[in-house]
Amino acid sequence: MLLDSNIVIYAFDPAHAKVADFLRGKNIRASAVSKIEVMGYWRLTNDDHQSFAAFFAELDIIALSPEIVDGAIALRRKRSIGLADAIIAATALAHNLPLATHNTHDFDWIEGLDLIDPVEG
């Protein structure tokens, strides 16, 4: 399962404890772009930065590849989609992984992409 950036953040939010519970024991991965989004947030405290860094250190971080780049381009040519979302969706498709996201409406138009919402589900 590939994690969208928002699911990484929810996993650390006590108000969304069920997200962390849902992820526990699962084979989870993240796109390099999710790591950039989360770790690069300018208001992140040092403690939060260390917590997220430890979390990402335990994950398989999927780097950009030519297949992911081409997939993201194809998605952006079909419909208006943010660059990060296009890369994350293309990563999930390229690796045949379901995408865990709370923003299902941003991705529900993408053919072949399996979506999971751990916040609602």
Side-chain angles (χ1 to χ4, degrees):
M1 173 185 330
L2 189 73
L3 303 183
D4 192 7
S5 307
N6 60 33
I7 297 303
V8 174
I9 294 165
Y10 285 135
F12 283 81
D13 182 354
H16 292 96
K18 69 180 183 177
V19 173
D21 291 341
F22 172 82
L23 297 177
R24 198 166 286 113
K26 292 192 174 48
N27 182 14
I28 54 176
R29 303 167 86 182
S31 166
V33 85
S34 287
K35 183 176 180 181
I36 293 167
E37 282 189 313
V38 173
M39 298 295 295
Y41 182 60
W42 69 279
R43 288 188 173 175
L44 211 59
T45 68
N46 286 336
D47 288 343
D48 288 340
H49 188 273
Q50 289 176 356
S51 295
F52 286 127
F55 179 77
F56 281 113
E58 297 297 318
L59 296 184
D60 178 19
I61 305 299
I62 301 173
L64 282 176
S65 68
E67 181 181 9
I68 293 169
V69 170
D70 290 344
I73 291 168
L75 290 172
R76 287 175 59 90
R77 288 183 51 94
K78 287 182 183 175
R79 187 165 161 176
S80 178
I81 183 173
L83 178 60
D85 284 349
I87 293 170
I88 291 167
T91 301
L93 290 169
H95 289 269
N96 196 32
L97 296 169
L99 177 61
T101 182
H102 185 49
N103 298 335
T104 56
H105 63 279
D106 292 344
F107 301 99
D108 60 7
W109 59 273
I110 300 172
E111 188 175 325
L113 184 60
D114 182 22
L115 299 174
I116 300 167
D117 185 349
V119 176
E120 294 296 324

